Amino acid sequence: MLNIVLFGPPGAGKGTQSQHIVEKFKLIHLSTGDLLRSEIAAGTPLGQEAKLLMDDGKLVPDEVVIGMIDNKLKANKDAKGFIFDGFPRTTEQAKALDDLLKSNDDSISGMIALEVPDEELISRLLERGKDSGRADDQNEEVIKNRLKVYNDQTAVLKDYYSKQGKFQEINGLGTIEEVFGRIENAIEKA
């Protein structure tokens, strides 16, 4: 199976590139946000637990998210692989994901990180905010804070996957096609 962790700061183009990766490599896109929403909508026990926590303004614990990922893996045993988007975000989550995949006789094939300079990200997000209506894309200070949180959280994951020989940094500047070409080359090396 081909299992890719796609990383990049807000505005790097993960959503757009995920669509291309899914189409080209026939992978299942596994976004933790989408997963949470679908489990809640389906009324599963994990979804009900997550909803109670979210309604109280609490973070959903790693074990609940891992349980949802496990459900998705088991529901798609014939998949060619998965693209993990938004998870893992911490070393503990990465280790839990590795353990989960190992229990299914699988592993992460590679981590691809889209790298884009902060000035470009701020510009992209402010532009996106004009169309999307998302408040978090319309305030430069909020955007800078989101980028700081991303950089603080992901630095350790880059090290984690580098030590496994699975980390690949991709230049996220250029046309959608140019960036996808770089990603495609990286995946084929994974």
Side-chain angles (χ1 to χ4, degrees), residues 134-160:
R134 285 179 51 173
D136 61 341
D137 284 347
Q138 296 175 11
N139 181 310
E140 190 167 333
E141 289 308 309
V142 171
I143 291 169
K144 286 179 180 177
N145 188 57
R146 287 167 59 203
L147 296 176
K148 181 184 181 328
V149 168
Y150 168 81
N151 288 323
D152 291 348
Q153 289 180 348
T154 60
V156 294
L157 283 176
K158 290 177 183 179
D159 292 341
Y160 180 81

Side-chain angles (χ1 to χ4, degrees), residues 41-100:
T44 67
L46 287 172
Q48 291 171 358
E49 183 179 348
K51 183 173 182 350
L52 288 173
L53 292 164
M54 292 166 67
D55 287 349
D56 283 343
K58 297 177 182 169
L59 291 175
V60 178
D62 291 350
E63 59 270 10
V64 173
V65 176
I66 285 288
M68 291 179 181
I69 292 171
D70 190 30
N71 289 345
K72 189 77 167 180
L73 294 174
K74 287 178 176 156
N76 293 281
K77 286 194 178 286
D78 295 332
K80 290 187 175 187
F82 294 85
I83 180 167
F84 295 90
D85 179 1
F87 190 89
R89 290 187 185 269
T90 65
T91 302
E92 292 74 26
Q93 290 176 351
K95 288 177 181 175
L97 181 58
D98 282 349
D99 290 345
L100 173 64

Side-chain angles (χ1 to χ4, degrees), residues 76-141:
N76 293 281
K77 286 194 178 286
D78 295 332
K80 290 187 175 187
F82 294 85
I83 180 167
F84 295 90
D85 179 1
F87 190 89
R89 290 187 185 269
T90 65
T91 302
E92 292 74 26
Q93 290 176 351
K95 288 177 181 175
L97 181 58
D98 282 349
D99 290 345
L100 173 64
L101 290 170
K102 188 175 181 179
S103 73
N104 287 290
D105 296 320
D106 213 345
S107 65
I108 291 297
S109 307
M111 178 206 194
I112 295 174
L114 294 174
E115 297 296 328
V116 179
D118 284 357
E119 308 78 48
E120 175 67 17
L121 294 169
I122 292 167
S123 174
R124 287 181 185 183
L125 290 169
L126 288 170
E127 191 60 36
R128 183 172 83 181
K130 292 177 187 175
D131 298 327
S132 72
R134 285 179 51 173
D136 61 341
D137 284 347
Q138 296 175 11
N139 181 310
E140 190 167 333
E141 289 308 309

Side-chain angles (χ1 to χ4, degrees), residues 6-19:
L6 182 64
F7 252 79
K14 293 182 306 295
T16 300
Q17 295 301 336
S18 289
Q19 293 171 354

Side-chain angles (χ1 to χ4, degrees), residues 17 20-21 24-25 112 114 168 170-189:
Q17 295 301 336
H20 290 291
I21 295 167
K24 168 75 180 184
F25 295 97
I112 295 174
L114 294 174
Q168 294 189 67
I170 302 293
N171 177 354
L173 293 176
T175 66
I176 292 169
E177 293 77 18
E178 288 169 342
V179 175
F180 181 66
R182 293 180 203 125
I183 292 171
E184 191 175 11
N185 288 337
I187 290 174
E188 288 172 355
K189 291 177 188 174

